[in-house]
């Protein structure tokens, strides 16, 4: 039963994603990002750079729309890293369970599995921190170029990759 549950977790691809940042939260439902910040209406962002606040479209120039598309893609990149970490952990759990149920359970094999998971998780964390740093750069450009984006411009923190790795 436990093996089946672990396998189901590995196969599961969650369509929704949520990221709680410094001063707000981003949720992804389907292909629509929603920016949540206390005290202001929610804003939505589509994959083609369309930006709405409280259901009303914000007029955009082509370069602004391009920046919003970069922002959207940045959130998608972070989502992929987070899903990758979950899948790596679930796969390691399945492998560890199989190893423990085997009559020839090997401590060296367990250590190898632990080391592999640790290495994968570290690489995914590093990539996620780099993606956050890239997204912060785009977020800062959006604040400077789209006045309506300013209230949503502190969701991703301005921390170094080293600080991010320590926090994660």
């Amino acid at each position: 039963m436990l093996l089946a549950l672990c396998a189901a977790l590995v196969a599961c691809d969650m369509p929704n994603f949520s990221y709680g940042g410094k001063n707000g939260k981003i949720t992804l439902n389907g292909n629509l990002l929603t920016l949540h910040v206390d005290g202001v209406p929610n804003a939505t962002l589509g994959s083609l750079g369309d930006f709405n606040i409280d259901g009303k479209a914000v007029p955009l120039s082509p370069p602004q729309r391009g920046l919003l598309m970069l922002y959207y893609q940045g959130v998608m990149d972070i989502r992929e890293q987070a899903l990758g970490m979950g899948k790596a952990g679930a796969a390691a759990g399945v492998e560890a369970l199989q190893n423990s149920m085997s009559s020839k359970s090997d401590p060296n094999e367990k250590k190898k599995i632990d080391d592999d998971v640790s290495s994968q998780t570290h690489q995914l964390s590093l990539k996620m921190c780099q993606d956050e740093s890239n997204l912060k750069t785009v977020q800062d450009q959006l604040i400077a170029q789209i006045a309506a984006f300013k209230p949503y411009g502190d969701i991703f923190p301005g921390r170094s990759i080293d600080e991010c790795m320590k926090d994660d």
Side-chain angles (χ1 to χ4, degrees):
M1 169 106 162
L2 185 56
L3 183 58
L5 179 60
C6 288
L9 286 173
V10 171
C12 180
D13 185 16
M14 299 183 308
N16 296 331
F17 174 70
S18 180
Y19 177 93
K22 179 180 172 186
N23 292 315
K25 179 173 85 168
I26 293 177
T27 56
L28 175 68
N29 289 309
N31 289 326
L32 189 65
L33 285 179
T34 302
L35 310 176
H36 309 271
V37 175
D38 288 340
V40 295
N42 287 343
T44 58
L45 175 61
S47 61
L48 297 177
D50 41 317
F51 184 52
N52 296 287
I53 298 175
D54 202 21
K56 296 175 187 84
V58 175
L60 301 167
S61 69
Q64 291 170 331
R65 189 173 296 277
L67 277 175
L68 287 163
M69 290 169 67
L70 287 174
Y71 187 86
Y72 181 93
Q73 185 56 52
V75 172
M76 296 302 288
D77 291 345
I78 290 170
R79 175 186 177 263
E80 290 306 311
Q81 299 313 315
L83 290 173
M85 279 193 256
K87 288 178 181 180
V94 168
E95 195 169 337
L97 181 62
Q98 288 172 338
N99 188 37
S100 71
M101 294 176 73
S102 167
S103 61
K104 52 186 178 189
S105 183
D106 181 1
N108 290 332
E109 186 64 26
K110 182 187 179 313
K111 174 142 178 42
K112 180 184 176 302
I113 293 168
D114 290 346
D115 290 347
D116 287 349
V117 169
S118 178
S119 176
Q120 285 178 346
T121 302
H122 177 77
Q123 290 302 315
L124 290 167
S125 291
L126 183 61
K127 175 76 170 92
M128 184 183 293
C129 289
Q130 181 62 56
D131 290 341
E132 278 189 25
S133 177
N134 295 343
L135 193 58
K136 172 67 172 137
T137 300
V138 173
Q139 180 178 267
D140 291 345
Q141 292 173 8
L142 286 166
I143 293 168
Q145 294 188 28
I146 304 172
F149 189 85
K150 189 170 181 157
Y152 311 96
D154 276 337
I155 294 176
F156 285 91
R159 58 185 177 165
S160 72
I161 292 173
D162 289 337
E163 290 170 326
C164 176
M165 291 297 290
K166 269 192 261 179
D167 292 347
D168 291 345

